Amino acid sequence: MFENQSIEVDWNGSENDWVTLGCYRLSNGRAASCDGLNKSQWPEINGTFERSCAANMTCRIDEPGAVPVTSWSGLIQVNADYVEVRQIILRDAAGIPLNVASNRNRHHYLFEDLLIQHTGRKVLQLGRGARHATVRRVEASEFNICRYYEYPTCYNGKGWPGAITMSDSSRAFVVFEDNDISHGFGEGFNCLRSSHVVMRRNRVGNIHSNAYYMDNCSNTIVENNIAWGDRDNKWQANYAFSGVA
């Protein structure tokens, strides 16, 4: 476990040699993948936005000692191309657990088999202009907690972000598939001012707003997804939850 730490990826991979951040184990003296292992055996990275301080609004956010250091940076901060992140647990981010920097030339990402819980802000953000990305088998819950409790540093009195978001990417060629998002104050998937996106076989439930939200998101396929909710949805807060908008 990496306690109160963040990781910054700022070196580029290539088409034939991706940068990989993930789970490995020793097998016969050699490094092997963690395929087939229980999620509880994956490595874990934790920030400072812990349950013990979240509800009483004493967690550090956007101040010295917060991890990540700002609420718009990542517990894993990706500032590079050809990057793969897989089989990792991310908890208690005082910001965004996995964040790709905004740069219209950023490209080629694979984020899969991630467990993400209790975040100050979003779950995963593809920065403005990011292209050629696949996000699959991400299981996330309890996101945008600082907005739910109305922390002054991350609440301006209006609006809320999505859990997994992308924006301003023409011909993005991005796929979101087989993800499970629940229990958070915001939307599920946000596609803003982008094109060529696929959302399929995802589950979104018990959140504040739209499960699948597209604003000027053209040439996009949304298929075989589920949006669900129950009477115990405290995150809805009297707002009209809907499936696709």
Side-chain angles (χ1 to χ4, degrees):
M1 180 185 296
F2 298 87
E3 197 75 53
N4 296 341
Q5 296 185 46
S6 59
I7 295 175
E8 188 165 349
V9 181
D10 56 6
W11 62 97
N12 290 326
S14 65
E15 183 177 357
N16 298 315
D17 187 17
W18 287 48
V19 175
T20 301
L21 184 63
C23 175
Y24 293 90
R25 57 190 173 87
L26 283 176
S27 177
N28 297 322
R30 295 185 178 183
S33 75
C34 294
D35 292 346
L37 290 185
N38 188 279
K39 293 176 184 177
S40 63
Q41 297 175 281
W42 292 351
E44 183 173 331
I45 304 173
N46 288 352
T48 55
F49 196 78
E50 301 173 354
R51 297 178 190 278
S52 58
C53 62
N56 57 23
M57 298 179 67
T58 58
C59 286
R60 290 170 290 182
I61 297 182
D62 292 314
E63 63 180 74
V67 179
V69 64
T70 76
S71 61
W72 290 109
S73 56
L75 208 54
I76 296 177
Q77 177 65 39
V78 178
N79 306 320
D81 305 327
Y82 290 102
V83 176
E84 174 186 11
V85 180
R86 63 192 307 267
Q87 295 176 330
I88 292 178
I89 299 171
L90 301 171
R91 287 195 175 103
D92 301 333
I96 305 171
L98 180 50
N99 183 51
V100 175
S102 291
N103 182 318
R104 293 189 183 278
N105 294 317
R106 289 281 175 238
H107 56 87
H108 286 90
Y109 303 102
L110 174 60
F111 303 135
E112 67 177 0
D113 297 318
L114 301 172
L115 177 61
I116 299 176
Q117 296 176 328
H118 201 262
T119 78
R121 284 198 184 270
K122 304 177 182 182
V123 169
L124 187 156
Q125 176 171 263
L126 297 176
R128 290 188 299 275
R131 297 174 290 115
H132 299 287
T134 298
V135 179
R136 69 162 68 102
R137 295 191 299 274
V138 173
E139 181 182 340
S141 61
E142 295 180 286
F143 64 90
N144 207 19
I145 303 296
C146 69
R147 171 63 179 82
Y148 179 73
Y149 288 123
E150 299 186 359
Y151 274 67
T153 55
C154 63
Y155 174 60
N156 61 5
K158 60 182 180 181
W160 47 82
I164 297 180
T165 69
M166 63 172 294
S167 65
D168 301 294
S169 183
S170 176
R171 299 184 66 82
F173 301 106
V174 169
V175 177
F176 302 109
E177 62 184 6
D178 301 310
N179 302 289
D180 193 340
I181 309 298
S182 67
H183 302 91
F185 198 86
E187 284 139 354
F189 291 86
N190 275 12
C191 178
L192 309 177
R193 301 175 300 279
S194 300
S195 69
H196 296 82
V197 178
V198 176
M199 302 180 189
R200 63 186 174 211
R201 299 190 305 272
N202 301 290
R203 288 174 51 88
V204 178
N206 271 11
I207 60 172
H208 180 64
S209 186
N210 307 300
Y212 308 92
Y213 180 69
M214 288 153 287
D215 185 348
N216 290 304
C217 190
S218 61
N219 294 293
T220 292
I221 297 173
V222 181
E223 62 181 4
N224 300 322
N225 298 286
I226 293 175
W228 64 272
D230 60 36
R231 294 180 180 178
D232 295 324
N233 185 7
K234 70 175 184 178
W235 309 98
Q236 191 170 350
N238 297 318
Y239 192 78
F241 169 76
S242 63
V244 179

